[in-house]
mmCIF file of all heavy atoms in Angstrom:
data_model
loop_
_atom_site.group_PDB
_atom_site.id
_atom_site.type_symbol
_atom_site.label_atom_id
_atom_site.label_comp_id
_atom_site.label_asym_id
_atom_site.label_seq_id
_atom_site.Cartn_x
_atom_site.Cartn_y
_atom_site.Cartn_z
ATOM 1 N N PRO H 51 44.605 223.507 -142.281
ATOM 2 C CA PRO H 51 45.077 224.789 -142.832
ATOM 3 C C PRO H 51 45.035 224.758 -144.350
ATOM 4 O O PRO H 51 45.243 223.741 -144.978
ATOM 5 C CB PRO H 51 46.494 224.941 -142.280
ATOM 6 C CG PRO H 51 46.909 223.531 -141.867
ATOM 7 C CD PRO H 51 45.635 222.773 -141.606
ATOM 8 N N LYS H 52 44.821 225.924 -144.952
ATOM 9 C CA LYS H 52 44.761 226.045 -146.348
ATOM 10 C C LYS H 52 45.856 226.981 -146.861
ATOM 11 O O LYS H 52 46.372 227.838 -146.138
ATOM 12 C CB LYS H 52 43.379 226.679 -146.771
ATOM 13 C CG LYS H 52 42.244 225.781 -146.340
ATOM 14 C CD LYS H 52 40.921 226.420 -146.628
ATOM 15 C CE LYS H 52 39.779 225.521 -146.143
ATOM 16 N NZ LYS H 52 38.517 226.119 -146.433
ATOM 17 N N THR H 53 46.242 226.751 -148.110
ATOM 18 C CA THR H 53 47.190 227.615 -148.734
ATOM 19 C C THR H 53 46.576 228.989 -149.070
ATOM 20 O O THR H 53 45.360 229.106 -149.109
ATOM 21 C CB THR H 53 47.802 227.027 -149.998
ATOM 22 O OG1 THR H 53 46.734 226.899 -150.958
ATOM 23 C CG2 THR H 53 48.429 225.607 -149.698
ATOM 24 N N ARG H 54 47.418 229.952 -149.335
ATOM 25 C CA ARG H 54 46.884 231.277 -149.718
ATOM 26 C C ARG H 54 46.146 231.185 -151.051
ATOM 27 O O ARG H 54 45.166 231.888 -151.258
ATOM 28 C CB ARG H 54 48.051 232.268 -149.826
ATOM 29 C CG ARG H 54 48.588 232.657 -148.583
ATOM 30 C CD ARG H 54 49.637 233.719 -148.756
ATOM 31 N NE ARG H 54 50.181 234.112 -147.494
ATOM 32 C CZ ARG H 54 51.165 235.008 -147.342
ATOM 33 N NH1 ARG H 54 51.699 235.546 -148.384
ATOM 34 N NH2 ARG H 54 51.573 235.301 -146.135
ATOM 35 N N LEU H 55 46.547 230.288 -151.909
ATOM 36 C CA LEU H 55 45.873 230.163 -153.201
ATOM 37 C C LEU H 55 44.439 229.660 -152.987
ATOM 38 O O LEU H 55 43.489 230.159 -153.607
ATOM 39 C CB LEU H 55 46.610 229.205 -154.124
ATOM 40 C CG LEU H 55 46.061 228.982 -155.483
ATOM 41 C CD1 LEU H 55 46.039 230.283 -156.290
ATOM 42 C CD2 LEU H 55 46.833 227.915 -156.225
ATOM 43 N N GLU H 56 44.256 228.678 -152.135
ATOM 44 C CA GLU H 56 42.942 228.186 -151.806
ATOM 45 C C GLU H 56 42.032 229.261 -151.162
ATOM 46 O O GLU H 56 40.912 229.442 -151.502
ATOM 47 C CB GLU H 56 42.967 226.987 -150.873
ATOM 48 C CG GLU H 56 43.602 225.754 -151.499
ATOM 49 C CD GLU H 56 43.874 224.660 -150.486
ATOM 50 O OE1 GLU H 56 44.085 224.973 -149.335
ATOM 51 O OE2 GLU H 56 43.855 223.471 -150.937
ATOM 52 N N LEU H 57 42.618 229.983 -150.194
ATOM 53 C CA LEU H 57 41.905 231.122 -149.557
ATOM 54 C C LEU H 57 41.532 232.184 -150.535
ATOM 55 O O LEU H 57 40.434 232.771 -150.485
ATOM 56 C CB LEU H 57 42.749 231.618 -148.427
ATOM 57 C CG LEU H 57 42.953 230.703 -147.234
ATOM 58 C CD1 LEU H 57 43.954 231.318 -146.267
ATOM 59 C CD2 LEU H 57 41.673 230.404 -146.533
ATOM 60 N N ALA H 58 42.471 232.519 -151.436
ATOM 61 C CA ALA H 58 42.206 233.598 -152.435
ATOM 62 C C ALA H 58 41.100 233.159 -153.364
ATOM 63 O O ALA H 58 40.203 233.947 -153.727
ATOM 64 C CB ALA H 58 43.458 233.907 -153.197
ATOM 65 N N GLY H 59 41.069 231.903 -153.763
ATOM 66 C CA GLY H 59 40.004 231.408 -154.658
ATOM 67 C C GLY H 59 38.652 231.436 -153.988
ATOM 68 O O GLY H 59 37.685 231.838 -154.567
ATOM 69 N N GLN H 60 38.655 231.028 -152.704
ATOM 70 C CA GLN H 60 37.330 231.047 -152.027
ATOM 71 C C GLN H 60 36.871 232.470 -151.775
ATOM 72 O O GLN H 60 35.696 232.781 -151.902
ATOM 73 C CB GLN H 60 37.494 230.355 -150.646
ATOM 74 C CG GLN H 60 37.626 228.851 -150.721
ATOM 75 C CD GLN H 60 37.775 228.193 -149.418
ATOM 76 O OE1 GLN H 60 38.015 228.833 -148.405
ATOM 77 N NE2 GLN H 60 37.729 226.854 -149.432
ATOM 78 N N ALA H 61 37.772 233.365 -151.439
ATOM 79 C CA ALA H 61 37.407 234.795 -151.255
ATOM 80 C C ALA H 61 36.935 235.389 -152.555
ATOM 81 O O ALA H 61 35.986 236.152 -152.555
ATOM 82 C CB ALA H 61 38.595 235.562 -150.702
ATOM 83 N N SER H 62 37.550 235.047 -153.704
ATOM 84 C CA SER H 62 37.128 235.624 -154.948
ATOM 85 C C SER H 62 35.775 235.127 -155.391
ATOM 86 O O SER H 62 34.900 235.925 -155.798
ATOM 87 C CB SER H 62 38.138 235.305 -156.043
ATOM 88 O OG SER H 62 39.355 235.996 -155.864
ATOM 89 N N VAL H 63 35.515 233.806 -155.245
ATOM 90 C CA VAL H 63 34.242 233.311 -155.658
ATOM 91 C C VAL H 63 33.089 233.846 -154.726
ATOM 92 O O VAL H 63 32.060 234.317 -155.243
ATOM 93 C CB VAL H 63 34.287 231.756 -155.652
ATOM 94 C CG1 VAL H 63 32.868 231.152 -155.762
ATOM 95 C CG2 VAL H 63 35.160 231.229 -156.752
ATOM 96 N N CYS H 64 33.304 233.762 -153.455
ATOM 97 C CA CYS H 64 32.314 234.284 -152.487
ATOM 98 C C CYS H 64 32.178 235.771 -152.665
ATOM 99 O O CYS H 64 31.019 236.273 -152.621
ATOM 100 C CB CYS H 64 32.707 233.918 -151.077
ATOM 101 S SG CYS H 64 32.607 232.184 -150.683
ATOM 102 N N GLY H 65 33.204 236.504 -152.913
ATOM 103 C CA GLY H 65 33.099 237.971 -153.130
ATOM 104 C C GLY H 65 32.369 238.259 -154.409
ATOM 105 O O GLY H 65 31.588 239.238 -154.401
ATOM 106 N N CYS H 66 32.610 237.504 -155.467
ATOM 107 C CA CYS H 66 31.882 237.787 -156.687
ATOM 108 C C CYS H 66 30.429 237.552 -156.545
ATOM 109 O O CYS H 66 29.588 238.431 -156.986
ATOM 110 C CB CYS H 66 32.443 236.905 -157.822
ATOM 111 S SG CYS H 66 31.655 237.173 -159.426
ATOM 112 N N LEU H 67 30.045 236.418 -155.949
ATOM 113 C CA LEU H 67 28.623 236.136 -155.772
ATOM 114 C C LEU H 67 27.992 237.107 -154.806
ATOM 115 O O LEU H 67 26.878 237.611 -155.013
ATOM 116 C CB LEU H 67 28.440 234.682 -155.326
ATOM 117 C CG LEU H 67 28.853 233.607 -156.305
ATOM 118 C CD1 LEU H 67 28.737 232.255 -155.699
ATOM 119 C CD2 LEU H 67 28.060 233.689 -157.593
ATOM 120 N N GLY H 68 28.690 237.398 -153.698
ATOM 121 C CA GLY H 68 28.177 238.269 -152.671
ATOM 122 C C GLY H 68 28.086 239.686 -153.220
ATOM 123 O O GLY H 68 27.082 240.398 -152.942
ATOM 124 N N GLY H 69 29.061 240.095 -153.982
ATOM 125 C CA GLY H 69 29.009 241.426 -154.568
ATOM 126 C C GLY H 69 27.906 241.583 -155.563
ATOM 127 O O GLY H 69 27.230 242.647 -155.607
ATOM 128 N N ALA H 70 27.657 240.571 -156.304
ATOM 129 C CA ALA H 70 26.556 240.631 -157.312
ATOM 130 C C ALA H 70 25.250 240.709 -156.553
ATOM 131 O O ALA H 70 24.324 241.465 -156.937
ATOM 132 C CB ALA H 70 26.570 239.424 -158.211
ATOM 133 N N LEU H 71 25.075 239.949 -155.492
ATOM 134 C CA LEU H 71 23.832 239.940 -154.743
ATOM 135 C C LEU H 71 23.616 241.296 -154.035
ATOM 136 O O LEU H 71 22.533 241.864 -154.061
ATOM 137 C CB LEU H 71 23.786 238.820 -153.753
ATOM 138 C CG LEU H 71 23.590 237.416 -154.333
ATOM 139 C CD1 LEU H 71 23.668 236.348 -153.285
ATOM 140 C CD2 LEU H 71 22.208 237.300 -155.043
ATOM 141 N N VAL H 72 24.682 241.766 -153.372
ATOM 142 C CA VAL H 72 24.599 243.018 -152.667
ATOM 143 C C VAL H 72 24.406 244.164 -153.640
ATOM 144 O O VAL H 72 23.708 245.131 -153.376
ATOM 145 C CB VAL H 72 25.783 243.247 -151.732
ATOM 146 C CG1 VAL H 72 25.840 244.644 -151.130
ATOM 147 C CG2 VAL H 72 25.748 242.243 -150.596
ATOM 148 N N GLY H 73 25.088 244.121 -154.777
ATOM 149 C CA GLY H 73 25.023 245.147 -155.744
ATOM 150 C C GLY H 73 23.675 245.275 -156.447
ATOM 151 O O GLY H 73 23.280 246.328 -156.903
ATOM 152 N N THR H 74 22.928 244.217 -156.506
ATOM 153 C CA THR H 74 21.591 244.247 -157.113
ATOM 154 C C THR H 74 20.537 244.324 -156.031
ATOM 155 O O THR H 74 19.874 245.363 -155.893
ATOM 156 C CB THR H 74 21.365 243.034 -158.020
ATOM 157 O OG1 THR H 74 21.613 241.852 -157.287
ATOM 158 C CG2 THR H 74 22.286 243.086 -159.213
ATOM 159 N N PHE H 75 20.327 243.212 -155.270
ATOM 160 C CA PHE H 75 19.269 243.233 -154.298
ATOM 161 C C PHE H 75 19.496 244.121 -153.130
ATOM 162 O O PHE H 75 18.597 244.790 -152.639
ATOM 163 C CB PHE H 75 18.991 241.786 -153.868
ATOM 164 C CG PHE H 75 18.571 240.880 -154.939
ATOM 165 C CD1 PHE H 75 19.359 239.850 -155.412
ATOM 166 C CD2 PHE H 75 17.326 241.060 -155.586
ATOM 167 C CE1 PHE H 75 18.939 239.017 -156.392
ATOM 168 C CE2 PHE H 75 16.920 240.231 -156.615
ATOM 169 C CZ PHE H 75 17.745 239.201 -157.051
ATOM 170 N N GLY H 76 20.772 244.133 -152.587
ATOM 171 C CA GLY H 76 21.088 245.035 -151.486
ATOM 172 C C GLY H 76 20.928 246.508 -151.916
ATOM 173 O O GLY H 76 20.502 247.315 -151.090
ATOM 174 N N PHE H 77 21.306 246.808 -153.133
ATOM 175 C CA PHE H 77 21.172 248.184 -153.614
ATOM 176 C C PHE H 77 19.740 248.592 -153.680
ATOM 177 O O PHE H 77 19.329 249.684 -153.246
ATOM 178 C CB PHE H 77 21.833 248.316 -154.982
ATOM 179 C CG PHE H 77 21.659 249.639 -155.625
ATOM 180 C CD1 PHE H 77 22.205 250.766 -155.071
ATOM 181 C CD2 PHE H 77 20.901 249.764 -156.824
ATOM 182 C CE1 PHE H 77 22.071 252.023 -155.654
ATOM 183 C CE2 PHE H 77 20.751 251.011 -157.402
ATOM 184 C CZ PHE H 77 21.341 252.136 -156.857
ATOM 185 N N LEU H 78 18.862 247.703 -154.149
ATOM 186 C CA LEU H 78 17.441 247.948 -154.218
ATOM 187 C C LEU H 78 16.844 248.139 -152.817
ATOM 188 O O LEU H 78 16.004 249.028 -152.576
ATOM 189 C CB LEU H 78 16.685 246.867 -154.966
ATOM 190 C CG LEU H 78 17.012 246.762 -156.450
ATOM 191 C CD1 LEU H 78 16.352 245.547 -157.062
ATOM 192 C CD2 LEU H 78 16.559 248.031 -157.169
ATOM 193 N N LEU H 79 17.267 247.260 -151.849
ATOM 194 C CA LEU H 79 16.776 247.416 -150.520
ATOM 195 C C LEU H 79 17.291 248.640 -149.831
ATOM 196 O O LEU H 79 16.559 249.352 -149.096
ATOM 197 C CB LEU H 79 17.236 246.167 -149.673
ATOM 198 C CG LEU H 79 16.534 244.884 -150.042
ATOM 199 C CD1 LEU H 79 17.150 243.738 -149.247
ATOM 200 C CD2 LEU H 79 15.035 244.974 -149.742
ATOM 201 N N ALA H 80 18.514 249.066 -150.133
ATOM 202 C CA ALA H 80 19.056 250.299 -149.604
ATOM 203 C C ALA H 80 18.356 251.500 -150.136
ATOM 204 O O ALA H 80 18.010 252.475 -149.391
ATOM 205 C CB ALA H 80 20.549 250.406 -149.898
#
Side-chain angles (χ1 to χ4, degrees):
K52 299 177 182 179
T53 64
R54 287 184 180 178
L55 181 63
E56 292 170 331
L57 293 172
Q60 288 178 351
S62 290
V63 169
C64 291
C66 180
L67 296 176
L71 288 175
V72 169
T74 53
F75 297 112
F77 175 65
L78 292 173
L79 289 174

